[in-house]
Amino acid sequence: MTDSASGGSAAEAAIDWDTGGIETELGWSLQAVYQGFARTAVTAVDAVPGGPRGYQVLVAVTTEPATSQLLLAQRLGIDKTAMTYVVDALENAGLVQRRANPRDRRVREVLPTDSGRALLARARVALREVEETLMHALDAGERTQLRHLLARVALSAGAVEACSPLSSETPSEQPVAAPHRSARRTPRPSTGS
């Protein structure tokens, strides 16, 4: 339902931006959206060994050039030991295979199988249905815009952490995803220098 006076939804109209309440805080919003997503997305990818992590691995190995398990762990922000278990589970299910890199036989690349691609296609459909339900307050254009904006923020998040004065004082217990390390060739935004 759209509020014609503001051009936004009824939920947005109920937010009093001037009071600075909790709903105006980015951290709260990100956490609330993530929690809602995490609760429902797990069922969409429950057929994928390793659950959401296994799904992310399948997406990365299917859409990007072959890479090592270690670089894949760094890219996705998954602990390298946990990544071994995820890739083992995917390999045991016949969804990925490891092969020696032709240029450096010490490096093992992770590649999708046809079964892995087929399972990924099914899981993506289920996950998109979950996402559509989660973002029901947005129209189709806003959903697309939100995806694009979040992807841009995610790609620059590593640069923010590297510049943060707190980064060395507050070590994270979790590995940090490095989406900017994608093997996919994407144009970098101009810095103006």
Side-chain angles (χ1 to χ4, degrees):
M1 175 183 283
T2 300
D3 178 8
S4 59
S6 68
S9 70
E12 182 181 348
I15 297 171
D16 185 352
W17 292 94
D18 295 329
T19 63
I22 193 66
E23 66 277 359
T24 67
E25 295 293 326
L26 177 64
W28 178 85
S29 297
L30 290 173
Q31 181 178 0
V33 170
Y34 173 73
Q35 288 174 346
F37 178 77
R39 282 191 307 270
T40 55
V42 167
T43 58
V45 297
D46 64 354
V48 179
R53 285 181 176 170
Y55 174 83
Q56 290 179 357
V57 169
L58 277 179
V59 170
V61 302
T62 302
T63 62
E64 299 179 2
T67 188
S68 73
Q69 188 171 301
L70 178 60
L71 291 176
L72 192 57
Q74 292 170 347
R75 161 113 168 85
L76 299 177
I78 299 173
D79 176 79
K80 63 184 180 181
T81 302
M83 177 60 85
T84 300
Y85 292 118
V86 171
V87 174
D88 284 349
L90 292 169
E91 188 174 43
N92 290 338
L95 304 172
V96 300
Q97 61 183 353
R98 292 174 172 115
R99 76 161 186 214
N101 179 303
R103 292 175 302 284
D104 184 349
R105 301 206 48 84
R106 297 170 295 174
V107 175
R108 307 284 292 167
E109 296 175 334
V110 181
L111 301 161
T113 63
D114 289 341
S115 295
R117 285 186 182 88
L119 178 59
L120 175 61
R122 291 189 303 276
R124 272 194 156 152
V125 168
L127 194 55
R128 293 305 174 257
E129 290 172 4
V130 166
E131 292 167 357
E132 293 299 309
T133 301
L134 180 67
M135 296 189 292
H136 73 276
L138 304 177
D139 65 36
E142 290 171 326
R143 292 174 192 168
T144 299
Q145 183 179 22
L146 179 61
R147 285 178 181 279
H148 290 198
L149 293 172
L150 285 174
R152 283 175 42 200
V153 171
L155 286 171
S156 66
V160 171
E161 181 170 311
C163 298
S164 172
L166 300 176
S167 62
S168 62
E169 297 170 18
T170 55
S172 172
E173 293 178 20
Q174 296 293 322
V176 177
H180 59 284
R181 293 184 184 163
S182 172
R184 181 190 319 277
R185 300 293 175 232
T186 56
R188 299 277 186 229
S190 168
T191 59
S193 303

